[in-house]
């Protein structure tokens, strides 16, 4: 059994590394996906791997003084946007129609809590709508959802913790083999005093931490896509 499993795993890994398909990756969220430098760090880290051909997609091309002329700037980060409004206005449907994706990361909810004062239950309901949009656009969408980074405002941060606690069970309930949802924890280990530049957005140290949390999940989601749906990528 053990030998068989090892052989099977080796074969799977060989298959995965043999593919050089162009995978479309959409970084989706608010300003913590738009006016940051973790996208630059993530793209650069991927350049040294088998996944260097990944194509970042989205309608935005924001540069945030990352001093990086090379990276693929395409993204779907919208500063100031609330998850609840994106869901109610069906905006993700249009964004994915213009820029279809195979893999998507979502870091959302900060504006809902800080400026919108929305209840956690409303944000989770919006997340469900957003996942439905992703799967309508691509039934095999690989989805990575973040437990979001902390904010310095104490009251809002209590709500950030409540949202993050709800994300795990919510994602489990919507998980499918064709379109898995992986939850990554951007909260734990992120320091409000050392990793934020303005109480909400990561500074260089925070960008590095966020990149290091996205990176293994993004690799896993891309491998999963190649393994289960070789024709889809
Ligand atoms: C995929 O890319 C790697 C690294 O560039 C290369 O060594 C390999 O030959 C390529 N495989 C295929 C099937 O094109
Ligand atoms: C969803 O399924 C995938 C594949 O089995 C698994 O790796 C992942 O942890 C699951 N997600 C959740 C939130 O349980
Ligand atoms: C990040 O921001 C904090 C607070 O503003 C500061 O103390 C720290 O030196 C900054 N670190 C980096 C690497 O920018």
């Amino acid at each position: 059994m053990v030998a068989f499993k090892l052989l099977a795993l080796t074969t799977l890994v060989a298959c995965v590394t043999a593919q050089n398909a162009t995978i479309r990756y959409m970084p989706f969220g608010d300003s913590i996906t738009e006016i940051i430098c973790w996208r630059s760090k993530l793209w650069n880290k991927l350049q040294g791997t088998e996944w260097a051909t990944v194509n970042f997609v989205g309608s935005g091309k924001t540069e945030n003084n990352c001093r990086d002329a090379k990276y693929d700037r395409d993204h779907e980060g919208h500063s100031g946007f609330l998850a609840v409004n994106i869901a109610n206005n069906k905006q993700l449907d249009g964004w994915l129609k213009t820029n279809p994706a195979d893999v998507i990361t979502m870091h959302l909810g900060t504006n809902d809590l800080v400026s919108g004062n929305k209840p956690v239950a409303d944000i989770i309901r919006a997340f469900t709508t957003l996942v439905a949009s992703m799967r309508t656009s691509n039934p095999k969408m690989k989805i990575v959802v973040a437990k979001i980074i902390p904010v310095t405002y104490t009251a809002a941060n209590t709500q950030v913790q409540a949202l993050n606690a709800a994300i795990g069970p919510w994602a489990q309930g919507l998980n499918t083999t064709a379109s898995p949802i992986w939850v990554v924890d951007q909260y734990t280990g992120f320091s409000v005093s050392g990793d934020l530049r303005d109480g909400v957005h990561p500074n260089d140290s925070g960008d590095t931490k966020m990149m290091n949390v996205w990176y293994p999940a993004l690799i896993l989601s891309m491998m999963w896509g190649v393994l289960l749906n070789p024709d889809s990528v």
Side-chain angles (χ1 to χ4, degrees):
M1 261 326 258
V2 171
F4 169 74
K5 276 186 189 161
L6 272 179
L7 179 63
L9 185 64
T10 311
T11 311
L12 290 182
V13 170
C15 286
V16 169
T17 50
Q19 312 264 342
N20 283 344
T22 301
I23 295 174
R24 300 161 300 179
Y25 159 52
M26 177 180 280
F28 167 55
D30 51 30
S31 57
I32 299 168
T33 296
E34 180 174 17
I35 48 169
I36 43 69
C37 291
W38 63 252
R39 287 184 286 107
S40 152
K41 290 175 189 281
L42 187 58
W43 185 88
N44 278 287
K45 183 146 178 162
L46 289 163
Q47 295 316 294
T49 75
E50 293 278 338
W51 307 96
T53 56
V54 60
N55 182 19
F56 286 34
V57 297
S59 58
K61 309 218 178 294
T62 316
E63 159 57 4
N64 186 47
N65 299 320
C66 300
R67 296 187 192 83
D68 177 1
K70 291 196 315 284
Y71 78 107
D72 187 342
R73 293 180 185 173
D74 298 343
H75 69 88
E76 208 60 75
H78 295 265
S79 293
F81 279 38
L82 280 62
V84 163
N85 293 342
I86 297 172
N88 286 344
N89 299 332
K90 298 272 172 217
Q91 282 165 301
L92 185 57
D93 297 18
W95 293 335
L96 281 170
K97 193 165 183 195
T98 307
N99 290 291
D102 305 296
V103 178
I104 189 166
T105 57
M106 179 171 91
H107 187 293
L108 265 184
T110 308
N111 292 313
D112 299 73
L113 297 173
V114 173
S115 55
N117 208 19
K118 299 288 182 194
V120 166
D122 289 10
I123 302 169
I124 290 288
R125 239 192 321 275
F127 282 6
T128 301
T129 302
L130 295 173
V131 164
S133 295
M134 294 171 195
R135 288 174 172 167
T136 300
S137 159
N138 177 357
K140 294 171 178 174
M141 187 78 86
K142 311 300 173 292
I143 304 166
V144 180
V145 177
K147 294 187 178 186
I148 63 177
I149 60 171
V151 293
T152 40
Y153 320 107
T154 310
N157 204 50
T158 303
Q159 287 297 95
V160 166
Q161 290 170 351
L163 172 63
N164 285 344
I167 286 176
W170 162 80
Q172 252 177 340
L174 285 182
N175 212 3
T176 67
T177 305
S179 172
I181 306 176
W182 289 279
V183 175
V184 297
D185 185 357
Q186 294 283 13
Y187 185 96
T188 304
F190 196 101
S191 161
V192 288
S193 55
D195 297 328
L196 292 173
R197 65 171 190 259
D198 57 5
V200 176
H201 300 99
N203 64 11
D204 188 60
S205 152
D207 279 323
T208 299
K209 285 188 182 177
M210 289 191 74
M211 180 275 284
N212 279 323
V213 172
W214 290 128
Y215 177 74
L218 192 59
I219 296 281
L220 176 66
S221 67
M222 291 191 291
M223 287 181 78
W224 190 273
V226 171
L227 280 176
L228 286 194
N229 322 301
D231 299 334
S232 78
V233 291

